[in-house]
């Protein structure tokens, strides 16, 4: 039997493609933080923003590691 929490997270990750430049990702991150901050704690909008922030931060890290030299 699969882990339902992991299944939901995996489904959410395939939602929409993220920008591929660091600048665009940082802009999206700032906008998503603002959305999270005004959403009622624990609401679907709040949870969705938190999950999107996770995806954005992972993508920022991937982009930064690919830089030459990598940002540390």
């Amino acid at each position: 039997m699969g882990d339902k929490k992991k299944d939901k997270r995996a489904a959410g990750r395939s939602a929409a493609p993220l920008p591929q430049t660091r600048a665009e990702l940082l802009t999206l991150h700032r906008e998503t933080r603002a959305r999270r901050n005004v959403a009622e704690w624990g609401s679907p909008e709040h949870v969705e923003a938190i999950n999107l922030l996770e995806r954005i931060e992972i993508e920022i890290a991937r982009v930064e590691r690919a830089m030459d030299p990598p940002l540390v």
Side-chain angles (χ1 to χ4, degrees):
M1 206 179 254
D3 184 351
K4 289 182 183 181
K5 194 172 190 178
K6 284 183 183 177
D7 293 341
K8 285 182 183 178
R9 265 191 266 150
R13 288 175 202 227
S14 62
L18 294 174
Q20 295 300 299
T21 68
R22 185 174 183 271
E24 291 173 325
L25 286 164
L26 291 174
T27 299
L28 181 59
H29 190 270
R30 183 174 42 257
E31 293 167 354
T32 306
R33 278 194 333 259
R35 254 187 33 230
R36 178 204 59 197
N37 292 343
V38 298
E40 182 180 338
W41 191 88
S43 69
E45 294 81 15
H46 186 253
V47 172
E48 181 182 327
I50 290 170
N51 291 336
L52 181 54
L53 285 169
E54 175 186 9
R55 290 181 54 219
I56 294 167
E57 290 171 1
I58 290 169
E59 192 64 20
I60 290 170
R62 186 193 65 75
V63 168
E64 289 179 349
R65 280 192 312 270
M67 291 179 166
D68 190 25
L71 288 180
V72 188

